[in-house]
């Protein structure tokens, strides 16, 4: 809600920060519920409604407020394109969340089907935050922003597999190298938050098609199974 209000007032830096704060809260609520043994069906449904506002409507409105008013200066057709791109993103976020709820029971916990809505929000809001921080304007920057909205929406409703990280167990022994990477990551992101955060989530968005392509290559390279014989070792 704060991101929407901030974007309406023209404070796009604060709007971007608010969406990333919502991502942190979204990553904590489920773990806190499990730690305190307070998980419930009500919490599951409420979480999805919160996700729709924080990662569906808010990023779409932030991108709309940042770009549509400017792109309309280049003609009404460009204004309609921007409107449709941001609406497409919001609709895809709703579809993604509904599909997740419908299939969560029998899904592989190690992977998400399609880009998670928080990551889609980080991709779109992070790009707008980065362009605003770099003070990039003009038709090219506006077209890129709406292209990112279309791309993020398309990846959310895709079938590309994305690592969920849900099989990461804090009770296991953590490698020392990982402990060194955590503070290094904070330093890198802190050096230029808009650019670094967008870059990290852009890599994660690209990982889904990369995993899909890698699996497809492995499947093509796998020797054919002999008819009536045992499976290859």
């Amino acid at each position: 809600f704060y991101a929407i209000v901030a974007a309406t007032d023209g404070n796009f830096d604060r709007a971007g920060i608010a969406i990333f704060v919502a991502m942190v809260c979204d990553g904590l609520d489920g773990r806190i519920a499990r730690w305190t043994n307070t998980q419930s069906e009500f919490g599951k449904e409420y979480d999805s409604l919160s996700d729709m506002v924080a990662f569906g409507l808010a990023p779409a409105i932030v991108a709309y407020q940042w770009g549509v008013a400017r792109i309309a200066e280049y003609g009404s057709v460009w204004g309609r394109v921007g409107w449709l791109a941001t609406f497409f993103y919001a609709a895809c976020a709703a579809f993604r969340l509904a599909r997740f709820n419908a299939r969560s029971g029998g899904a592989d916990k190690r992977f998400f089907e399609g880009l998670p809505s928080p990551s889609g929000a980080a991709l779109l809001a992070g790009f707008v935050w980065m362009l605003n921080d770099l003070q990039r304007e003009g038709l090219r920057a506006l077209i890129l922003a709406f292209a990112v909205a279309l791309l993020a929406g398309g990846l959310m409703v895709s079938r590309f597999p994305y690592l969920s990280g849900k099989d990461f167990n804090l009770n296991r022994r953590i490698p020392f190298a990982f402990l060194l990477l955590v503070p290094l990551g904070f330093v890198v992101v802190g050096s230029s938050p808009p650019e670094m955060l967008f870059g990290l989530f852009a890599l994660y968005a690209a990982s889904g098609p990369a995993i899909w392509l890698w699996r497809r290559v492995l499947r093509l390279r796998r020797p054919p199974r002999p008819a009536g014989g045992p499976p290859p070792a």
Side-chain angles (χ1 to χ4, degrees):
F1 178 79
Y2 178 77
I4 294 171
V5 173
T8 304
D9 293 337
N11 297 320
F12 297 104
D13 291 347
R14 295 181 180 180
I17 292 171
I19 290 174
F20 279 99
V21 170
M23 287 185 60
V24 174
C25 294
D26 182 65
L28 293 175
D29 59 358
R31 294 183 182 275
I32 293 174
R34 287 189 291 272
W35 288 342
T36 57
N37 197 27
T38 55
Q39 62 268 39
S40 65
E41 285 299 317
F42 174 86
K44 177 183 175 182
E45 298 301 328
Y46 192 77
D47 179 73
S48 292
L49 294 173
S50 300
D51 287 351
M52 183 56 206
V53 175
F55 309 127
L57 287 177
I61 293 174
V62 169
Y64 177 89
Q65 289 293 119
W66 179 82
V68 169
R70 294 181 176 89
I71 207 169
E73 299 173 0
Y74 298 92
S76 59
V77 174
W78 283 114
R80 293 190 183 97
V81 169
W83 188 96
L84 288 172
T86 50
F87 170 77
F88 175 78
Y89 171 87
C92 287
F95 183 93
R96 171 68 177 78
L97 291 165
R99 185 178 66 182
F100 175 80
N101 287 346
R103 300 182 181 178
S104 59
D108 187 349
K109 300 298 183 181
R110 298 173 301 166
F111 294 93
F112 291 120
E113 183 182 3
L115 183 69
S117 58
S119 300
L123 196 64
L124 179 56
F127 190 70
V128 171
W129 184 15
M130 180 182 68
L131 291 182
N132 187 71
D133 185 67
L134 296 174
Q135 297 182 349
R136 298 292 175 87
E137 297 180 354
L139 184 60
R140 183 178 299 178
L142 295 169
I143 292 175
L144 283 175
F146 294 129
V148 169
L150 293 172
L151 178 64
L155 288 175
M156 282 193 291
V157 298
S158 72
R159 295 183 180 274
F160 292 131
Y162 285 89
L163 292 171
S164 67
K166 291 185 177 181
D167 55 344
F168 180 75
N169 190 353
L170 292 175
N171 295 324
R172 295 177 183 173
R173 185 173 181 178
I174 300 175
F176 183 70
F178 179 80
L179 296 178
L180 293 178
L181 288 175
V182 171
L184 180 61
F186 278 105
V187 172
V188 171
V189 172
S191 63
S192 184
E195 292 81 2
M196 293 298 106
L197 286 171
F198 171 74
L200 289 173
F201 281 97
L203 287 175
Y204 181 68
S207 70
I211 293 174
W212 176 85
L213 183 61
W214 177 251
R215 287 179 173 179
R216 193 170 183 84
V217 170
L218 289 180
R219 194 178 298 117
L220 292 174
R221 289 182 177 180
R222 187 176 301 166
R225 181 177 178 178

